[in-house]
Amino acid sequence: MSTPPPVRDRRLIHIYAIIFIDVVVGSAIGPVLPEFVKGRPQPQLWLALGTALFLGVQLFSAPLLGKLSDGYGRRPIFIVSAVGTFLADCLLIPITLGSQLANRFSDGLTNGMYATVRSAITDISPKEELFRNLGIEGAILSLGFVIGPAASGLLLTSFDVVEGDQARVVVIMAVVLSAVNMLLSYTLRETHANPSGVSTEALKTELINSLNVWRIWSRLSAKDRKYPGLKRLVLMQLALTMSTGYYFYFVTFASFGALQLDAKGISYFFMYFGALSVGINYVFYTYFADRINQRRGIIWFAVLGAPVLAGYGFIGDSVLWLYILVTIDCLTLSLIQGLIEGLMAQRTTDEDRGEVFGINQALQGLASFGTTVVFGALSLLDLRLPFGWFAICLALVAWLAWQTRPTPATETSPN
């Protein structure tokens, strides 16, 4: 008698809905961000500063939230993050530079949710479905990446919103969606069985440690001794994070560079990028990710993706070439994230899963902050130069994967 297929935990769908709306909210605002720095000298620098605030503050917030999720459960962190996003979006209602910077700082404080997301998905995923479920998370993120700009473009087009009011209308939409996510987070059932709690002293120690980069690295080294190979995967993740800084940079490049795209043009681009990425990620992580040699997959995707990143800097004002390159992008570097996350998830346990992902996200925040400083400085010289930096970082991912010693967890042979 054949074994019936496993029943998918309904909490997975609930989690996917929460992260989908969260990404929709964040990506919907992207096309109108230039409005917040309009008229300022060197607007690309102000946008880079906002991104640096958002990412840099996660250096201490992500490990703290990860530790709390291990001690008190994933659900409270989802709720705190949803409330934080709602309040941060409310700060954007005055369309000013100050409100944009305040939003970036405030939203970054609770954006450690994504460490909790990966912990929650791992909590309730059978080992044989882990790559698939984390891959679907990546596809959901890509789908939100589509729907956000699409919703902004549709809203602005349908109601023929004049240029001066576009940012405010999109922000109000984001506030409403953030309120919906608060309700979804409140109704989520817990995924972490029997959390043991966290003492005040432990939280104080966690906060102090989170403010010390060397201590974060030391903690990662300790986890690497417990889970051999974890540190190398985190280094790959950091290099990938620095390369994918172009996601944050693209609005600046498309708005103020040779392309000169307006909010609608940017929305249409992200619609295509996200839609294609959703389809490719879903097919790849559903049918191929757990059947291939993941380490070699990372190497080849990074090697093929590095020239694509460099190529963005050479497209000039050609929208056609922009769409050609982003198509190749979706088939290469956009597939790496889930492979690394899946390999990392295999090196965690229920006891400290949130802490491990929190440490990883904190270091990602540091890497994102660093790459933002670099591409912000390079953009002052030439708006095309940052893509050279992103390509170098992706080449580093390939080198790190090549140098990784194969283990049963990093070398999955095809069936």
Side-chain angles (χ1 to χ4, degrees):
M1 179 180 294
S2 61
T3 303
V7 177
R8 176 158 295 181
D9 195 314
R10 291 182 180 179
R11 289 173 293 182
L12 271 176
I13 306 301
H14 202 143
I15 293 168
Y16 291 154
I18 291 171
I19 62 176
F20 169 70
I21 294 178
D22 187 70
V23 178
V24 166
V25 169
S27 61
I29 294 172
V32 298
L33 281 178
E35 288 294 316
F36 289 86
V37 297
K38 193 173 182 179
R40 295 276 178 173
Q42 298 177 327
Q44 70 270 31
L45 189 59
W46 291 108
L47 288 177
L49 177 60
T51 300
L53 279 174
F54 173 69
L55 298 169
V57 74
Q58 294 175 44
L59 178 62
F60 67 88
S61 68
L64 185 62
L65 291 175
K67 186 72 171 180
L68 286 169
S69 81
D70 285 336
Y72 296 107
R74 318 303 182 197
R75 178 175 174 269
I77 305 306
F78 275 96
I79 295 172
V80 168
S81 297
V83 172
T85 298
F86 173 79
L87 295 176
D89 288 338
C90 288
L91 291 173
L92 284 174
I93 292 177
I95 311 302
T96 65
L97 174 61
S99 67
Q100 188 250 350
L101 295 178
N103 163 271
R104 297 291 77 195
F105 179 82
S106 176
D107 203 16
L109 285 174
T110 54
N111 201 56
M113 179 184 78
Y114 284 93
T116 303
V117 164
R118 286 152 196 148
S119 298
I121 292 173
T122 306
D123 289 341
I124 56 178
S125 295
K127 184 177 180 180
E128 65 274 12
E129 294 189 7
L130 182 58
F131 274 102
R132 179 182 180 183
N133 291 342
L134 287 172
I136 290 175
E137 177 221 358
I140 293 292
L141 293 176
S142 296
L143 181 60
F145 198 52
V146 176
I147 299 299
S152 295
L154 183 62
L155 184 66
L156 298 178
T157 302
S158 300
F159 293 95
D160 198 23
V161 181
V162 297
E163 186 173 340
D165 294 332
Q166 290 179 350
R168 184 170 287 104
V169 169
V170 171
V171 167
I172 291 173
M173 177 185 71
V175 169
V176 172
L177 291 175
S178 297
V180 172
N181 232 13
M182 286 195 294
L183 178 61
L184 283 174
S185 297
Y186 182 77
T187 55
L188 176 68
R189 290 186 296 117
E190 182 57 61
T191 67
H192 183 28
N194 303 317
S196 58
V198 185
S199 68
T200 303
E201 188 63 31
L203 286 178
K204 181 179 177 181
T205 301
E206 184 72 26
L207 181 59
I208 294 172
N209 288 341
S210 298
L211 293 172
N212 188 316
V213 177
W214 178 250
R215 287 185 179 178
I216 294 176
W217 184 256
S218 297
R219 291 168 63 194
L220 175 62
S221 298
K223 296 296 181 184
D224 186 65
R225 290 190 290 272
K226 184 177 181 181
Y227 310 113
L230 178 64
K231 184 188 290 187
R232 181 66 62 131
L233 288 171
V234 171
L235 287 173
M236 283 187 223
Q237 184 82 283
L238 298 186
L240 182 65
T241 297
M242 290 190 289
S243 70
T244 54
Y246 82 101
Y247 293 154
F248 298 100
Y249 178 65
F250 183 80
V251 171
T252 300
F253 175 72
S255 300
F256 303 113
L259 289 168
Q260 291 291 304
L261 297 183
D262 59 12
K264 292 179 183 177
I266 294 172
S267 295
Y268 296 150
F269 168 76
F270 279 115
M271 287 165 59
Y272 176 80
F273 189 2
L276 187 61
S277 183
V278 165
I280 291 173
N281 269 269
Y282 180 80
V283 171
F284 177 75
Y285 282 102
T286 300
Y287 300 107
F288 299 104
D290 58 352
R291 295 180 172 90
I292 67 169
N293 182 307
Q294 286 99 23
R295 184 183 71 93
R296 292 180 184 173
I298 292 169
I299 293 171
W300 279 109
F301 288 144
V303 167
L304 296 173
V308 174
L309 284 180
Y312 284 120
F314 295 95
I315 60 175
D317 59 359
S318 175
V319 176
L320 174 61
W321 272 108
L322 172 66
Y323 278 81
I324 290 173
L325 285 180
V326 81
T327 301
I328 305 172
D329 184 330
C330 291
L331 291 165
T332 55
L333 70 104
S334 295
L335 296 174
I336 297 174
Q337 181 79 19
L339 292 177
I340 298 177
E341 287 180 3
L343 292 173
M344 287 181 61
Q346 293 178 345
R347 289 172 165 80
T348 65
T349 65
D350 290 343
E351 178 186 357
D352 59 0
R353 182 166 295 130
E355 182 183 0
V356 170
F357 279 118
I359 291 171
N360 177 59
Q361 188 168 349
L363 291 172
Q364 280 185 277
L366 180 62
S368 296
F369 179 83
T371 200
T372 301
V373 171
V374 172
F375 75 63
L378 290 174
S379 69
L380 295 177
L381 300 175
D382 191 307
L383 288 171
R384 298 168 296 180
L385 285 178
F387 289 105
W389 164 254
F390 300 139
I392 291 170
C393 293
L394 189 58
L396 180 59
V397 174
W399 182 81
L400 287 168
W402 179 264
Q403 293 295 314
T404 299
R405 184 177 180 180
T407 68
T410 58
E411 293 286 305
T412 298
S413 299
N415 292 339

